[in-house]
């Protein structure tokens, strides 16, 4: 028996095709059970933190103004945050970030909504991007009426971790004002350090990890969380076994 997992050399696509063993449907169903809502483009903790933070700010606004928030205002505020995230992270090598190629024709003040930056409707909240994992997969956001969302307890923990970082930015009060969506595109740069995709803070990482990889003794977790945690532990044990095997072979 093998002491560690063994992997064959991959076949080229010319030889293997897209699904040489005909197992793609089975693999996809298994992946959906183990990592529900997770797809190939969700890779940045900061995106989760930023979206949860804005949903939280919108919820606070709604609590203070029960009749002062329309679905359009909600959408505009979420687009404001998405655009700031994308403007901050342009030309930094981050891949598969929906909307990151948007460009402003000049630096004149404008509404920070998608239509002010061309015809693209790409969004981090699309079903092909972060929305499935934000809602069903990790349950950081809870869908509400008319395309709105609110934070779950796990999402709130991530939002508060993001808030601690954003408070150090000079434009924090403007960002909190969910109805003020007008600014120069360059205004996004004042949030560069807080919204750099590759540099989530330790509190953000811990809040995300607690949801993504719950501990063995966690209470009130669903079967999907159990499946994901077991799968991650299996992967870690495989990696550990491979490393131990290579260490023994090298010694």
């Amino acid at each position: 028996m093998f002491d560690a997992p063994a992997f064959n050399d991959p076949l080229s696509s010319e030889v293997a095709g897209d699904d040489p063993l005909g197992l793609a449907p089975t693999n996809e169903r298994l992946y959906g059970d183990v990592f529900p809502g997770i797809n190939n483009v969700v890779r940045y903790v900061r995106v989760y933190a930023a979206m949860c933070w804005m949903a939280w700010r919108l919820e606070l606004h709604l609590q203070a103004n029960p009749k002062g928030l329309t679905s359009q205002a909600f959408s505009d505020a979420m687009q404001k945050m998405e655009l700031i995230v994308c403007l901050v992270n342009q030309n930094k090598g981050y891949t598969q970030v929906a909307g990151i190629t948007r460009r402003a024709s000049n630096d004149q003040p404008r509404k920070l909504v998608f239509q002010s930056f061309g015809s693209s409707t790409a969004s981090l909240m699309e079903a092909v991007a972060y929305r499935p994992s934000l809602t069903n997969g990790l349950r950081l956001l809870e869908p509400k009426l008319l395309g709105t969302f609110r934070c779950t307890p796990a999402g709130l923990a991530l939002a508060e971790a993001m808030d601690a970082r954003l408070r150090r930015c000079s434009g924090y009060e403007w960002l909190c004002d969910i109805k003020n969506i007008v600014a120069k595109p360059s205004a996004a740069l004042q949030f560069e350090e807080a919204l750099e995709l590759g540099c989530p803070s330790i509190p953000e990482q811990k809040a995300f990890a607690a949801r993504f990889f719950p501990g063995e003794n966690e209470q009130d977790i669903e079967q999907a969380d159990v499946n994901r945690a077991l799968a991650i532990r299996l992967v870690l044990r495989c990696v550990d076994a491979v490393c131990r095997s290579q260490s023994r072979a090298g010694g």
Side-chain angles (χ1 to χ4, degrees):
M1 297 296 292
F2 293 112
D3 294 326
F7 303 96
N8 294 326
D9 293 333
L11 295 174
S12 66
S13 59
E14 290 80 6
V15 175
D18 293 331
D19 185 19
L21 300 180
L23 295 176
T26 301
N27 291 340
E28 290 170 2
R29 286 195 294 271
L30 177 61
Y31 185 87
D33 287 338
V34 174
F35 293 106
I38 306 296
N39 57 39
N40 292 334
V41 303
V42 293
R43 57 180 61 190
Y44 302 112
V45 171
R46 271 258 157 94
V47 170
Y48 290 104
M51 295 298 98
C52 287
W53 182 87
M54 184 53 83
W56 173 55
R57 296 304 313 183
L58 285 157
E59 188 174 356
L60 291 177
H61 177 85
L62 185 58
Q63 290 173 359
N65 306 274
K67 296 183 179 180
L69 183 63
T70 64
S71 59
Q72 185 60 53
F74 187 100
S75 176
D76 288 350
M78 295 295 282
Q79 289 184 28
K80 170 185 173 181
M81 175 56 85
E82 283 200 46
L83 284 167
I84 292 172
V85 169
C86 290
L87 290 170
V88 160
N89 289 284
Q90 285 180 348
N91 306 316
K92 293 186 177 181
Y94 297 119
T95 60
Q96 296 181 315
V97 182
I100 202 168
T101 59
R102 287 189 176 95
R103 295 288 189 276
S105 57
N106 56 60
D107 197 35
Q108 295 300 311
R110 69 196 66 203
K111 288 184 177 180
L112 294 185
V113 294
F114 294 163
Q115 65 182 16
S116 298
F117 291 78
S119 59
S120 174
T121 58
S123 171
L124 295 169
M125 294 297 291
E126 287 181 328
V128 295
Y130 284 79
R131 179 170 177 166
S133 54
L134 273 164
T135 55
N136 296 332
L138 299 174
R139 297 189 310 283
L140 297 169
L141 294 180
E142 178 184 9
K144 303 301 291 182
L145 296 175
L146 302 176
T148 62
F149 302 87
R150 72 177 180 189
C151 287
T152 64
L156 178 58
L158 193 55
E160 290 176 338
M162 179 84 267
D163 189 66
R165 187 64 193 82
L166 285 170
R167 282 181 179 275
R168 294 155 56 184
C169 299
S170 59
Y172 176 77
E173 295 299 330
W174 170 79
L175 192 62
C176 288
D177 185 352
I178 62 106
K179 289 193 172 182
N180 188 350
I181 61 173
V182 176
K184 294 181 178 180
S186 61
L189 297 180
Q190 63 192 308
F191 305 103
E192 184 169 12
E193 191 172 342
L195 294 174
E196 170 85 30
L197 289 180
C199 305
S201 67
I202 296 300
E204 290 169 66
Q205 294 178 51
K206 288 182 176 179
F208 180 82
R211 180 84 284 271
F212 184 71
F213 188 21
E216 293 180 331
N217 298 320
E218 290 287 332
Q219 302 296 318
D220 301 324
I221 62 175
E222 298 182 5
Q223 189 59 48
D225 302 317
V226 174
N227 292 350
R228 185 173 60 251
L230 290 174
I232 294 171
R233 290 191 182 93
L234 178 60
V235 170
L236 293 175
R237 286 170 181 168
C238 288
V239 171
D240 179 66
V242 170
C243 291
R244 288 175 182 272
S245 177
Q246 291 179 343
S247 178
R248 287 195 298 270

